[in-house]
Amino acid sequence: MSEQEKQDNRRTRRHKPGNVRFALAQQGRTGPRLGGMGLSINEELRRDLGAIKQQSRRAGNDDGYVVKFLSMCETHVVGPEGFSFQSKVKLPDGTDDKRANALIESHFAEWGKKGMCDVTGRYSWQDIQTLFIRSVAEDGELLVRFVEGFPNRYGFALQLLDSAHLDINYNRELKNGHRVRMGVELDEWDRPTAYHILTQHPGDRAYFYGNTRYERIPASEMLLAFLPFRVGQCRGLPWAHAALLEMHHLYGYREAELTGARIAASKMFAYEPDSEVEPEDPDEEEPDFIEEVEPGMGIVVPYGYSMKELNWQHPGGNFGAFMKEGKRGAASGLDVSYNTLGNDAEGVSFSSLRQFVLEDRDSWKKKQRWMRQELCDRVMGFWLRMSL
């Protein structure tokens, strides 16, 4: 059998219906190398969540585009005035009880003032909402404790805790059949029953790993707020996780390009020995070299040296195209339009921009609905019960 016939037979066997698979799963020469069974979402988070949150916080401090995204979350989810409560108490005949509604709404507004709704006295209800959505977007999660019996007029207040109080490495099998995964205690139905939080923030200077203390708080008294991405997930993932790697490369590339452009724009000079002049006596003092010059300044080169201009060229013609393409990929990972994230309206028509705005608006509405159900409805239920 000729070599060509052997290749044809191999090609035929490879394309038989029984051998057809998803292209991504094929172990080709240039394809992905995947091995073993896929990990559960909680095991993936246990291994990688710490590093992802560190990168997200770094980007939230230093990367202008991630800062822009976090600001967009505050603006489009919470808004300038935040969520307001509207009471809809009904009379026996089905009509609105205007007097009761006005009374409840006025008292909730009073509770929401700064110094009343927060245990530290630093935040108002609107501040809590803004911190809530920003923390969840940046860290992927936030702990909110419902403190009943707090010494204020309504006997109720909120305590915001950094998600770092939930130790990712705290995993246990309990005697009652429950299990602790990354600080979250789960029952046999994977329902959170309690949270084992660190009494001190692990990032404080006073914190010592050899003196770790945990406090068990029932899930009825605390909320671990996060937007789930997969079934069975018990910890949150930063919203920018799919864009952080792209943002990291963009940040480094932009820094390198700007540094190169600054060096190229700087006119520098160097002294080099003149080969036609005999070297001076080594015992003599080193000549007085001029290291800085001013505009219009004339200098005398030391004897035995000549001056050489250093002029590096750095055109950077592809800088704009690379940055734009990178920001487009990052915007897709952030689920926002590139034009809004990059402040780029170049070459965009009004109809195209309007289409992007409408799509973004639906995405923000989904996050608004989640925040209303996750935080606002629960807070209102606790507050109303304690107030009554």
Side-chain angles (χ1 to χ4, degrees), residues 88-345:
K88 293 185 178 181
V89 178
K90 301 289 185 180
L91 292 171
D93 59 0
T95 59
D96 292 337
D97 189 341
K98 297 181 179 180
R99 183 179 179 182
N101 290 333
L103 184 65
I104 294 174
E105 291 174 5
S106 64
H107 278 280
F108 187 80
E110 181 68 23
W111 174 81
K113 291 182 179 180
K114 183 176 180 179
M116 182 73 70
C117 60
D118 168 57
V119 295
T120 65
R122 301 173 184 171
Y123 311 121
S124 65
W125 171 232
Q126 183 179 348
D127 296 333
I128 290 177
Q129 295 177 59
T130 303
L131 284 172
F132 175 87
I133 199 64
R134 184 181 183 88
S135 299
V136 172
E138 185 175 37
D139 294 339
E141 53 191 359
L142 180 67
L143 288 166
V144 182
R145 189 172 185 176
F146 308 112
V147 183
E148 296 182 324
F150 189 77
N152 61 13
R153 180 180 178 184
Y154 299 95
F156 175 68
L158 301 176
Q159 182 184 16
L160 302 183
L161 291 173
D162 192 331
S163 59
H165 283 274
L166 274 182
D167 190 356
I168 297 176
N169 298 315
Y170 186 67
N171 299 276
R172 297 288 187 276
E173 298 293 334
L174 304 180
K175 295 181 179 180
N176 59 359
H178 293 186
R179 60 191 185 280
V180 180
R181 293 294 180 266
M182 295 177 285
V184 181
E185 183 178 332
L186 306 172
D187 63 10
E188 65 273 13
W189 297 102
D190 279 349
R191 186 185 185 94
T193 59
Y195 300 99
H196 298 255
I197 67 169
L198 292 166
T199 55
Q200 295 183 2
H201 194 287
D204 288 340
R205 292 187 61 184
Y207 177 83
F208 298 99
Y209 281 96
N211 194 26
T212 304
R213 293 291 184 271
Y214 295 95
E215 180 183 0
R216 183 183 183 275
I217 300 178
S220 59
E221 301 176 10
M222 175 167 282
L223 165 67
L224 175 60
F226 64 90
L227 189 61
F229 288 92
R230 293 184 188 174
V231 176
Q233 181 178 344
C234 68
R235 294 292 299 268
L237 197 60
W239 290 3
H241 69 277
L244 286 175
L245 184 59
E246 192 93 36
M247 289 293 193
H248 173 74
H249 291 313
L250 283 178
Y251 184 84
Y253 173 66
R254 183 171 181 266
E255 183 181 24
E257 284 285 347
L258 292 177
T259 302
R262 289 184 60 185
I263 294 176
S266 302
K267 298 297 182 180
M268 293 180 285
F269 58 92
Y271 296 100
E272 60 181 4
D274 193 343
S275 60
E276 298 181 357
V277 178
E278 294 183 1
E280 297 181 353
D281 188 351
D283 294 335
E284 295 184 3
E285 296 182 358
E286 185 178 348
D288 187 13
F289 294 102
I290 299 177
E291 298 181 358
E292 297 182 4
V293 296
E294 298 178 359
M297 176 181 176
I299 63 175
V300 178
V301 180
Y303 178 77
Y305 289 86
S306 61
M307 182 177 291
K308 179 181 178 181
E309 181 184 6
L310 302 179
N311 188 13
W312 287 283
Q313 300 296 326
H314 187 81
N318 296 324
F319 176 71
F322 284 148
M323 288 295 295
K324 180 176 289 188
E325 188 62 28
K327 284 184 285 186
R328 284 173 175 170
S332 298
L334 296 173
D335 194 22
V336 296
S337 63
Y338 154 75
N339 304 93
T340 305
L341 179 68
N343 299 312
D344 185 5

